[in-house]
Amino acid sequence: MTDIISREIQLISHPTGMPTLNNFALAQTKLEPLQAGQVLVRNLYISVDPYMRGRMNGGKSYVPPFELGQPMTGSAVGEVVESRAEQLKTGDAVTSNYGWREYFIATPPELHPVSRDIQPLSVHLGALGMTGLTAWAGLYLVDVKAEDVIFISGAAGAVGNVAGQLAKIRGCQVIGSAGSPEKVKFLKEECGFVGEASLEENRAFDYKTSPVIPVIEQLNLAAPDGIDVYFDNVGGEMLEAALSALRVNGRIIACGGISGYNAEIPQPGPSNLFNITTKRLTMKGLIVGDWLGCRAEFEQVVGDYYRFGKAQATPTGKLKNKETVVVGIDKAVSAFLGLFTGENIGKMVVKLE
Ligand code: NDP
């Protein structure tokens, strides 16, 4: 193996509030010679994810904090470029948790082989990766079934759009909120967030309209008889509106709360939490890492929707893998920051050159 120099993004200081470019550095590292039982992997796409914000704080969290001066870990998909392990050969595609770097050396148990037949390979970070598994697990957790009316916040994002498409496959009525007219169009025209009758039925709405229309008003228009399930990616005003709109015995999937991730002081909880009591609601928390044991089943079932179709609500009949692709490891930080200003439709990924 010739000397490999790998570029990587390191966290160099803990952000306060919204992170800035100054919290990160682009560094270079020289890789050690490959040992028996190891493989050299070149990353092709890396994932940037909102949950990473919590890992930047340095304190104790449900996932280990990032170490200052070390490369940022996280989901990535790459290819084996040299192998000294019999389980993997040159050219094999693998996902890993090695994150924001160009090359790395690993042993086979740290890698998850994925099929090169399923393209683009970045789908293994999105619809068939961690965010797709989150969507699938969330629906499973609260036993979503046909005829449920489900409201999804952050619906045009990575988890949200797949949750909506999978709920449509199960026969649910799906309503989504998103932060621009373009995102609403995507939900209606490409993901099937429409009523039975017509595209005009208001099943996806823009929560950033000007002048602002409160979320609860838009949700009541979309679901005049209330909702059965709320898939929460956002928290804050969305959760408060959903608590009002939920019917008796409604269920909440507590997946994320991105509206508060950069808050410098803790945000107050919803003012109407007592709805949980009066309407006998169930709210279940979800951490995707608990669901890795179901990954084979998920990849089979959802992989088949992606390759062969079943999503009658989408134009192609297949599960849509929507992505926003940013090119270059030097753009990884701005891609990450863009998650908090809504720059992405679908999964935000960084393609390495
Ligand atoms: P997304 O692809 O949805 O990207 C983030 C989106 O969030 C943005 O595009 C933006 O969309 C929206 N957003 C950003 N800031 C705000 C804000 N202040 N208020 C409302 N919306 C905002 O990310 P993911 O799909 O990867 O993640 C979605 C959620 O799911 C996150 O909360 C994440 O932490 C959580 N998650 C949880 C997991 C778990 O195991 N529990 C696993 C994976 C994700 P818009 O333009 O519509 O505002």
Side-chain angles (χ1 to χ4, degrees):
M1 169 177 139
T2 48
D3 281 352
I4 300 281
I5 306 291
S6 176
R7 289 186 298 166
E8 61 189 33
I9 304 284
Q10 301 176 349
L11 182 73
I12 55 168
S13 58
H14 299 300
T16 304
M18 179 75 171
T20 70
L21 295 175
N22 294 334
N23 295 122
F24 304 86
L26 180 61
Q28 291 194 347
T29 188
K30 188 172 143 208
L31 270 60
E32 298 291 322
L34 206 58
Q35 304 293 316
Q38 294 181 326
V39 295
L40 172 67
V41 178
R42 179 170 78 98
N43 272 339
L44 300 172
Y45 294 92
I46 60 177
S47 179
V48 295
D49 296 279
Y51 83 90
M52 293 174 166
R53 175 63 189 87
R55 298 185 66 190
M56 292 173 187
N57 288 335
K60 214 171 161 201
S61 173
Y62 70 98
V63 275
F66 292 120
E67 282 182 56
L68 295 185
Q70 294 298 318
M72 301 263 303
T73 51
S75 299
V77 62
E79 64 183 0
V80 175
V81 289
E82 193 176 337
S83 176
R84 292 194 62 194
E86 58 188 30
Q87 300 95 318
L88 290 166
K89 61 180 186 316
T90 302
D92 284 350
V94 290
T95 58
S96 76
N97 197 40
Y98 270 86
W100 298 14
R101 57 184 114 194
E102 292 177 315
Y103 290 89
F104 63 89
I105 290 172
T107 56
E110 299 173 281
L111 304 170
H112 178 66
V114 291
S115 168
R116 284 204 97 118
D117 295 339
I118 305 182
Q119 291 285 336
L121 281 178
S122 49
V123 72
H124 298 292
L125 304 178
L128 301 186
M130 187 271 283
T131 52
L133 179 60
T134 305
W136 191 72
L139 300 183
Y140 189 90
L141 195 62
V142 300
D143 192 21
V144 165
K145 51 190 183 307
E147 309 304 330
D148 276 341
V149 179
I150 175 169
F151 168 49
I152 302 169
S153 57
V159 173
N161 88 85
V162 175
Q165 292 183 71
L166 293 178
K168 291 292 290 190
I169 289 171
R170 293 193 191 185
C172 301
Q173 291 182 50
V174 183
I175 295 159
S177 62
S180 72
E182 188 191 1
K183 291 185 180 189
V184 167
K185 188 168 185 285
F186 160 67
L187 291 174
K188 287 184 172 181
E189 295 182 3
E190 297 186 53
C191 300
F193 282 43
V194 291
E196 297 305 314
S198 82
L199 269 179
E200 300 312 312
E201 283 188 50
N202 203 18
R203 293 282 160 81
F205 62 84
D206 176 4
Y207 74 97
K208 286 183 176 167
T209 48
S210 177
V212 173
I213 306 174
V215 173
I216 184 62
E217 282 182 29
Q218 302 216 62
L219 183 55
N220 285 342
L221 275 177
D225 299 323
I227 60 174
D228 301 294
V229 177
Y230 172 48
F231 196 122
D232 191 13
N233 290 312
V234 168
E237 187 189 359
M238 297 289 173
L239 176 58
E240 191 157 290
L243 283 165
S244 291
L246 277 157
R247 298 170 177 158
V248 170
N249 293 324
R251 295 100 79 202
I252 301 172
I253 304 153
C255 174
I258 195 167
S259 65
Y261 289 177
N262 290 311
E264 293 183 38
I265 48 169
Q267 301 297 289
S271 63
N272 58 352
L273 204 58
F274 195 56
N275 276 299
I276 291 188
T277 306
T278 57
K279 292 196 265 191
R280 283 78 94 197
L281 305 178
T282 305
M283 186 169 188
K284 287 195 178 175
L286 160 70
I287 294 296
V288 66
D290 299 343
W291 292 76
L292 294 181
C294 302
R295 187 153 66 164
E297 182 190 352
F298 157 76
E299 285 176 346
Q300 181 67 53
V301 173
V302 181
D304 281 355
Y305 295 154
Y306 177 64
R307 283 177 299 166
F308 309 123
K310 188 168 178 178
Q312 285 142 0
T314 68
T316 60
K318 295 181 181 174
L319 184 90
K320 178 119 200 146
N321 175 55
K322 182 76 172 179
E323 340 180 286
T324 299
V325 183
V326 171
V327 179
I329 193 162
D330 55 323
K331 300 291 186 313
V333 176
S334 50
F336 169 73
L337 298 178
L339 295 169
F340 299 98
T341 48
E343 305 302 316
N344 59 309
I345 304 188
K347 178 78 189 91
M348 182 77 101
V349 292
V350 180
K351 183 174 196 287
L352 302 191
E353 295 162 299

